[in-house]
Amino acid sequence: MKIQELDPNDDSVGYGGLPNAEGVVQLDASCMHGPTKRAGAVGALENIKTPSEVAKLILKYTSHIFLVGEGAKRFALSFGFKEEDLLTEHSREAWLRWRANLSPTDNYLDVPDSDHLVVTKTGTINCDAVTPQGDLSSVTTTSGLSWKIPGRVGDSPIIGAGQYCDNDVGAAGSTGLGEANIKVCGGFLTVEHLRRGLKPTDACLETLKRVVAETEARLLDAQGKPKFDLVFYAVTKRGEFGAASLYPNHFAVHDGTDAKIRDTAYLFTRA
Ligand code: ASP
């Protein structure tokens, strides 16, 4: 997690993550540790490159679970984290272009080259892990939706949505439109599907069906298909794994020796 958060070229998490509507990077992360039944989370964290590390410190050293905003930052600084500018040249440029093209009638001239223009971009990492002994843990980190309203927190830092872990059963997490996940508590729901015996891929598909059932009309196209994507990932105590998405997607698996990219199962194809 930390490696990706520190990578300036990854604009979906940590340092270099795309900022909110005011050009400020606000990061979210959460984690759970199965054996100790602990959890930690941070929301709307500014100026700290590695929110997943801060979430882990909350898990390890406090009796709380979720710190947000200024308090979360002060907590991180007290543990020796450095306050840093999280914008990179790329992410600042992307935000400037978004702002310029927001309205044809404002005083910012529209940018003709639309190559780098992004309306809203998602990007998150969820990692669910199991040891050979069957101990589980999970973590999710993100810079959230690009250009979000300042203060917006997505699913990633919400225990039971962005990720969930039960050491007796399995772990699960999600990436994609956070608002769609929050409404079904998708991380928790997927682990509950595992608990009643579904295989990981089927558990993820089952959660996605619930997401579709809970989707507002404004987010469905004429065929009733969601206008966004959402992915769920799951692993069991026995090491079975799977992932599913609304539309064809990919996920990475590491068996301790090799990493592989796999296709997700999915509910819909794009027109
Ligand atoms: N789930 C994240 C959020 O809504 C975004 C993403 O996965 O790309 O904040």
Side-chain angles (χ1 to χ4, degrees), residues 31-165:
C31 56
M32 290 181 86
H33 183 236
T36 55
K37 303 181 194 287
R38 287 187 171 214
V42 282
L45 177 68
E46 295 179 11
N47 303 109
I48 305 287
K49 283 181 172 173
T50 52
S52 69
E53 292 285 304
V54 182
K56 194 164 99 183
L57 288 177
I58 295 167
L59 174 153
K60 208 169 162 188
Y61 294 113
T62 80
S63 58
H64 301 327
I65 287 183
F66 201 172
L67 297 182
V68 302
E70 187 57 30
K73 178 157 85 177
R74 294 222 299 270
F75 172 83
L77 295 176
S78 77
F79 276 88
F81 285 73
K82 283 198 184 61
E83 196 162 357
E84 291 173 279
D85 180 3
L86 302 188
L87 282 177
T88 57
E89 218 167 297
H90 162 78
S91 59
R92 182 180 284 108
E93 173 81 6
W95 171 68
L96 286 172
R97 284 167 177 267
W98 169 79
R99 187 179 65 173
N101 283 38
L102 255 190
S103 162
T105 58
D106 65 19
N107 290 317
Y108 293 104
L109 300 180
D110 289 359
V111 181
D113 165 15
S114 63
D115 280 2
H116 300 96
L117 276 179
V118 192
V119 179
T120 284
K121 215 179 147 194
T122 56
T124 294
I125 303 171
N126 160 243
C127 180
D128 308 296
V130 62
T131 66
Q133 293 72 38
D135 282 328
L136 292 144
S137 53
S138 49
V139 56
T140 298
T141 185
T142 190
S143 51
L145 298 183
S146 64
W147 336 130
K148 59 195 173 186
I149 296 174
R152 178 265 188 189
V153 166
D155 58 326
S156 307
I158 296 180
I159 309 292
Q163 54 75 41
Y164 192 74
C165 170

